[in-house]
């Protein structure tokens, strides 16, 4: 199974809602890819940029939506 990391702005917009729905569909659809959205990370009390960079480094596929500022 391919590991994928998805970075996007989670400002409560329709875009982030659509991304969350798409990630859930892919992860539950039996496709040989596991998408980890950034907001599913256990980052409480940790350096967010460091954890995100580490997740990007560990994945085989990186997806980013940068249409909204974060």
């Amino acid at each position: 199974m391919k590991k994928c990391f998805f970075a996007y702005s989670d400002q409560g917009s329709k875009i982030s809602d659509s991304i969350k729905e798409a990630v859930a569909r892919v992860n539950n659809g039996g496709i040989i890819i596991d998408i980890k959205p950034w907001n599913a990370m256990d980052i409480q009390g940790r350096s967010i940029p460091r954890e995100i960079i580490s997740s990007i480094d560990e994945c085989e596929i990186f997806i980013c939506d940068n249409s909204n500022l974060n």
Side-chain angles (χ1 to χ4, degrees):
M1 181 170 294
K2 299 249 185 217
K3 289 174 62 176
C4 176
F5 182 76
F6 202 144
Y8 60 94
S9 175
D10 193 18
Q11 300 293 326
S13 71
K14 290 181 181 181
I15 294 172
S16 64
D17 292 343
S18 296
I19 290 171
K20 289 175 190 175
E21 183 179 336
V23 167
R25 284 184 179 192
V26 169
N27 285 342
N28 296 324
I31 300 173
I32 56 171
I33 187 170
D34 178 35
I35 301 175
K36 178 181 180 180
W38 77 267
N39 63 341
M41 296 174 56
D42 181 21
I43 54 176
Q44 186 173 353
R46 297 186 180 145
S47 170
I48 294 173
R50 184 179 311 149
E51 294 296 317
I52 290 174
I53 291 170
S54 177
S55 290
I56 292 169
D57 287 342
E58 293 171 2
C59 72
E60 297 170 90
I61 301 168
F62 174 65
I63 303 169
C64 177
D65 171 59
N66 63 352
S67 57
N68 290 320
L69 296 176
N70 186 4

